[in-house]
Amino acid sequence: MLSEPTYLPARMVASEIEAHFKQHQQEAKRNAGGNVASAPDNHIIEAVIDITFWASMRREEGHSPNISLALLQPSQSDKPLMFGEQLRLTPQNLIKLAPAVEQPGIHLGVWPDGDDLFIWGTTHSVPALCFVLEVIEPGLLVIKHRRVDGFGKYVNVAVLQGDQIKVLDENTMGIADCPALIKSLQSMPLPTYMGESFSVLVQLAASMRLHKRGGLVFIVPSGSEKWRDSIVQPVKYPVEPPYTAINDLMLRKASAADKLEWRESLLEAIDLIGGFTAVDGATIITDKYDLLAFGAKAARAEHSHPVGEIIMTEPVADGRARRVHPAQNGGSRHLAAAQFVSDQHDAIALVASQDGQFTVFAWSPQVGIVHAHRIDVLLL
């Protein structure tokens, strides 16, 4: 029998997560059909979060577990690996299985049988909008699901860290009371404004976070040289001619036969640029994803003024916009990003911190100030 959860946030967030999955799964079945996961009930969500949280806080032979659980039946998976006997979903069993499933893309398959939850095996494939719970580090859990089109990074639904609960607000990105800022978000490369289509910049953001060295990217208009006014000349590492592989792939529509190869080529091109963001300085790409330079040093444009204040937001329910000095948002990369966008209103800046924070900077003409939107909760 499922026991009462002892991790209180599991109970606090379960109903909200259940509503999210039921709404989106119903919409997907109406619009797309196909293999769409079944929505889990809140008591199942509650139990899975509770058990996984306590497993994440334990160590086996000095190692903390990195686990991904998917709520689905074996029949909903493509070529699942089935255990000879189902294992009860318990912290002890999760700890014991963790070393075998630490590689990215492997999920432990979990499904209720009678009045209890069981691990039936592992899978690499899950249906669209399948409930997935990932342990990032001790006490840090992310609830997410696969996109309807199946391509690109999973969509995060909620992030739980200890007693902190962050439910993502995909409609207003946490600033329902700031219509002017909602308009400014439309110029940012954010998942909520991209539908279910694959997002190059979101994937680039994930690649930047992966190398854990931090990074700074300036996205500038194609065909414009105005950005050079805010970069120390000469540029240390120019790319000549520009690296256009991403744009070339995006322009070439893949047929059904070579779709997998096309996707792999696109991910490789994105990861290549993501690697250059680890080099000290800014990586400069166009709004068509062409790589122009890396290792560039940002400088305040002539006749511009230092940025003294920015707007800070985060895409979580009940979020509130704050006016802060850019130094309160982070270190030198954040200051450089805020200044660059303040001088180059048609540019966007992406900043990855070594601690995993990720912020998108854009100019908001509605409020006449740089808008910094922290999106690391979308990328975990």
Side-chain angles (χ1 to χ4, degrees):
M1 297 288 290
L2 293 177
S3 59
E4 287 292 308
T6 53
Y7 177 48
L8 184 58
R11 171 155 294 177
M12 294 170 64
V13 79
S15 294
E16 198 167 352
I17 292 174
E18 176 194 36
H20 170 95
F21 277 93
K22 286 189 173 178
Q23 176 190 342
H24 285 271
Q25 288 166 352
Q26 289 170 2
E27 291 174 358
K29 287 174 181 176
R30 282 198 305 267
N31 298 331
N35 189 18
V36 176
S38 303
D41 292 330
N42 67 340
H43 72 284
I44 298 296
I45 294 171
E46 194 175 304
V48 170
I49 294 174
D50 181 65
I51 293 166
T52 307
F53 173 80
W54 293 116
S56 79
M57 301 300 289
R58 295 171 62 175
R59 299 172 72 87
E60 178 77 1
E61 296 182 351
H63 296 283
S64 299
N66 293 110
I67 317 166
S68 180
L69 309 181
L71 277 175
L72 77 166
Q73 302 176 67
S75 60
Q76 292 182 296
S77 172
D78 183 24
K79 296 181 180 178
L81 185 155
M82 304 280 292
F83 297 158
E85 293 183 5
Q86 294 187 129
L87 301 172
R88 285 190 66 231
L89 182 64
T90 65
Q92 180 64 16
N93 282 334
L94 286 179
I95 287 289
K96 290 297 183 183
L97 290 172
V101 294
E102 286 186 347
Q103 294 298 318
I106 302 178
H107 312 284
L108 288 174
V110 175
W111 196 250
D113 186 358
D115 294 327
D116 214 337
L117 285 164
F118 289 89
I119 306 167
W120 52 256
T122 70
T123 179
H124 280 89
S125 68
V126 297
L129 293 162
C130 178
F131 176 102
V132 172
L133 175 59
E134 186 173 347
V135 176
I136 305 297
E137 60 185 44
L140 176 57
L141 312 180
V142 181
I143 294 96
K144 55 180 67 177
H145 62 73
R146 178 173 164 265
R147 297 173 183 272
V148 171
D149 64 8
F151 192 33
K153 189 193 171 300
Y154 281 27
V155 176
N156 291 359
V157 178
V159 176
L160 285 73
Q161 186 167 23
D163 60 356
Q164 294 183 16
I165 302 172
K166 292 184 178 181
V167 178
L168 304 191
D169 180 353
E170 58 190 340
N171 295 315
T172 66
M173 302 298 275
I175 48 174
D177 57 342
C178 303
L181 291 179
I182 292 174
K183 287 183 180 179
S184 73
L185 285 174
Q186 294 171 1
S187 67
M188 294 184 181
L190 301 176
T192 196
Y193 291 107
M194 295 173 178
E196 293 295 340
S197 64
F198 174 69
S199 162
V200 170
L201 292 173
V202 169
Q203 198 68 34
L204 175 60
S207 181
M208 290 172 67
R209 294 184 80 248
L210 200 58
H211 58 61
K212 297 181 180 179
R213 295 173 181 267
L216 173 61
V217 174
F218 295 148
I219 304 168
V220 300
S222 299
S224 172
E225 297 291 316
K226 186 173 176 290
W227 58 270
R228 295 184 182 275
D229 296 340
S230 298
I231 296 294
V232 174
Q233 299 297 326
V235 177
K236 190 170 186 179
Y237 300 114
V239 177
E240 298 175 353
Y243 177 72
T244 62
I246 295 176
N247 190 32
D248 294 343
L249 285 164
M250 296 296 285
L251 292 173
R252 176 171 66 84
K253 293 191 180 295
S255 64
D258 67 352
K259 198 166 188 179
L260 179 60
E261 183 181 348
W262 178 89
R263 289 178 172 182
E264 290 177 347
S265 297
L266 183 57
L267 289 172
E268 287 174 359
I270 293 170
D271 286 342
L272 186 149
I273 292 179
F276 284 114
T277 66
V279 176
D280 186 39
T283 299
I284 301 171
I285 65 174
T286 71
D287 50 15
K288 293 182 179 179
Y289 321 117
D290 298 338
L291 177 62
L292 303 180
F294 63 95
K297 303 299 182 184
R300 185 157 55 90
E302 190 177 1
H303 307 307
S304 71
H305 300 286
V307 177
E309 189 177 56
I310 62 173
I311 292 281
M312 275 293 302
T313 57
E314 193 174 8
V316 296
D318 301 321
R320 293 290 182 269
R322 297 179 295 122
R323 287 180 176 262
V324 300
H325 188 277
Q328 292 179 257
N329 181 44
S332 58
R333 288 191 184 98
H334 294 79
L335 286 167
Q339 189 66 56
F340 188 86
V341 169
S342 179
D343 295 345
Q344 307 284 337
H345 291 180
D346 51 4
I348 290 170
L350 312 178
V351 179
S353 302
Q354 290 181 349
D355 62 3
Q357 292 185 17
F358 198 96
T359 310
V360 184
F361 292 78
W363 180 256
S364 175
Q366 290 79 20
V367 292
I369 197 171
V370 174
H371 180 183
H373 194 56
R374 184 175 160 183
I375 64 167
D376 30 292
V377 290
L378 302 176
L379 303 173
L380 290 169

